[in-house]
Amino acid sequence: MYSYTRDESRQRRKLFRKGFRQALADNVDPALERRIQAIDQSAAERGRRELNALHNVREGDRQAVATAKATVRTASRQDKAAARQALRDAEQQLKRSERAVSRAENQ
């Protein structure tokens, strides 16, 4: 997963266009390619960190669902409705985090 900043995207587009023009002239500067690779490497590292953070959030949400299920099972009759609502909220949050991880992994 790559995660480019706006400045990196702008620089990369500019370098790509410059490299394209040089390729048409059959005279590509190797420094240009190194700069593009450096931008790609930093974006890939940032993407890995963001993906790891999403995985951590998802694991926390899974733990929250498990805790909410245990709370529903052990709740008194008066507290069961609130516990079920907390379980539904935790499950919705888990679905959101799983979708975010899935989108990030498929990019």
Side-chain angles (χ1 to χ4, degrees):
M1 179 177 138
Y2 291 95
S3 179
Y4 294 99
T5 63
R6 288 183 184 199
D7 186 47
E8 285 176 340
S9 294
R10 196 175 312 116
Q11 286 179 3
R12 193 174 188 291
R13 279 193 306 270
K14 181 180 172 186
L15 292 171
F16 180 79
R17 284 192 304 266
K18 188 173 184 181
F20 182 74
R21 285 191 295 269
Q22 289 178 1
L24 291 176
D26 204 24
N27 187 21
V28 179
D29 185 14
L32 191 72
E33 293 175 356
R34 284 192 302 270
R35 287 174 57 193
I36 289 174
Q37 289 174 355
I39 291 171
D40 288 344
Q41 287 175 349
S42 66
E45 176 61 31
R46 189 178 308 106
R48 278 192 295 276
R49 284 192 307 252
E50 289 176 6
L51 188 59
N52 287 337
L54 284 172
H55 282 291
N56 291 339
V57 168
R58 182 181 62 183
E59 289 305 314
D61 290 342
R62 285 180 177 170
Q63 184 61 42
V65 168
T67 303
K69 283 183 181 181
T71 304
V72 168
R73 290 185 183 123
T74 60
S76 66
R77 181 172 275 192
Q78 294 84 10
D79 297 334
K80 245 200 216 305
R84 282 192 196 114
Q85 183 59 45
L87 175 60
R88 283 191 289 270
D89 293 343
E91 287 172 340
Q92 287 176 352
Q93 179 59 37
L94 176 60
K95 285 180 185 178
R96 284 192 295 269
S97 64
E98 285 177 341
R99 278 194 301 263
V101 168
S102 178
R103 279 192 306 261
E105 288 177 340
N106 292 330
Q107 282 184 344

